[in-house]
Amino acid sequence: MITGKTRRRLEAAGQLARLRAEIEQMRGQLEKLDLWLPAAGLAHQAEIVLEMLKGIGSRLDRHLVVTLVGPCGAGKSTLFNALAGIDGLSPAGPNRPTTRKVRALCRRQEDATAVFESGSGPGPEIITSDKAPFLDRVILVDTPDTDSVEASGHLELIRQAIKSSDVLVCVFDAENPKRRDHADFLAPWVNLFAGTSLVAVLNKCDRQERDELSESILPEFRQYLASAWQVEVDRVLAVSARSNLQDPAWEPEVTPRHDWDQFPELRDLVTGGLDGSAAGTRLANARHLRDHLARAMAREAGRDRAGLKKALAAASELETTALEHSLEALAADAETMTQGTRIRLYQLLARGWTGPVGWVLAIWSRLLVFGAGAISVLRPGRPLQQAMGLASALRHRAASRQKLAHVSDPQVAGAAIQAFRSAVLKHWPQTAELLVKARFDQRVRDPEPAMAAAADLAENISAAWIAALDQRLQKAAGRLQNWLLQFALNLAPLAALGYAGWLTLKHFVKGSYLAADFFIHFLAVEIILVLAGFFIVQMAVQFTVRRGRLQRQAFARLQKEGGGSGAFTRLEALRQAKMVKSLSGPD
């Protein structure tokens, strides 16, 4: 049977896994933004956050870790002893540095070992005690000075201790609170702790006048921290650690100037487990880590939002300009395309038309491809004239196929592709400079990737042109293949054919025969009727393709839809620019 404690731990582990997945997704986004310079620093933050999350997971239901961090002379070790209620537990005094190791105070050695065993580097010096009752749920950690003469060897120890912490107590000297070096050291770390998990302590408050402390020093100190850390600290407490030792051993000349001291509040905050379970505190920190990373990404992206918006707008304008040049190059060959379009339209009509007019359309569509010279081959005459007619037919067939190629072969759009590439090469530097100003790597100035994207897009334009023109042709053919029109134009020749057939059959049954003149006249009338219908279809075709009408409609469609664009905006630099812009929030 699953106990309530086990169930709560499983629920907490599930929440932690979801938070870790979200942070890994953020890191994955940042790793894809190798051209955006801030991404490297943000990705490093994500690594730290994931490392801290790993530590949180390994100690999810273990003792809460409260770590004191401070510069030389801030009274950090004295505060450690005062919170523990044991004088001399961590060395304090004028010798510097007073603390050379990370010290962890706990009830049993295995309490600290279970928490710190997953960390890298040397573990802390473990001090056990059965005196302080809060040690049943809290591990109190003291760290070396952040600015001692041996700081270079201590800093990594301090960083490792912070990564293993659930609560960070930042200790400052009330006599010199605005220590820029200490604030700067802590700046990357304070954002990783949420709400009550971050406490700023102004120690040695007994050395200041009470009115000055409450009315001037503390308010200015809060403002200083908010400016230095870019974060609001919920808990800023003025304490006198020495006053709370078992034996303060005051010298007569340095006795406290007043008795106002927030040490009891700090002690209750730390020793009380921060008003909740260790797992709850750690989950709150984990959510804060997730939110901090998201805010950091949005903040950095927000700095470049305006520049990226300009760069993307310039890229869009560049693509539009290049597309217009490309379409102009296509339009320059309008006459050849018009002829090819006409031939293609007749081919489509030949497939959809039936009846006598449809038969003529089928013959005509083939004659257009094979050429008028074929007719001279069929004429009686001298062999030389027939041979010349055959040569003319072959030449016309090749020319007609070339005209059709302008309609259906992507390779004939070479001039359009070249026009597009030329426009990109001319205008890309402007877009690249806007990206560089938005903190993109100078590699974006290289025009080759842009030219490669331009080639892809130009091919897309060619394919889109074929699709757009074919769609217009299909639509035009559909209108000209209307069944009512087919019925109207085929009705007269079919009626004449039916009438002649009925008369022929009637006279045949009666045993009489119609005169040859009847059939000659009928054939003439039939040809006239069919050609009249065919002539009407020709007029409709001429009206449909006149002055490049279908090409212009296809051009308009390409311009409206962007010519199959999107390939250019998939250029790596522009793709990343869109991703960075999206990190800053919706428009």
Side-chain angles (χ1 to χ4, degrees), residues 14 25 66 76 79 120 124 126 166 172 175 203 226 228 263 288 309 398 490 493 499 508 517-518 528 535:
Q25 185 178 19
V66 179
K76 172 175 48 62
L79 182 60
S120 59
I126 299 175
D166 302 305
F172 292 81
E175 295 181 300
N203 194 21
F263 178 82
H288 178 74
K309 193 173 182 179
N490 281 314
Y499 178 68
F508 177 78
D517 288 344
F518 170 80
I528 290 171
F535 176 75

Side-chain angles (χ1 to χ4, degrees), residues 303-340:
R303 289 178 56 190
D304 298 322
R305 182 182 179 87
L308 291 172
K309 193 173 182 179
K310 290 180 181 178
L312 290 170
S316 178
E317 184 178 351
L318 164 58
E319 186 173 330
T320 300
T321 300
L323 176 60
E324 289 174 353
H325 289 184
S326 184
L327 293 178
E328 287 172 4
L330 284 173
D333 204 14
E335 182 179 352
T336 303
M337 281 192 290
T338 299
Q339 297 175 18

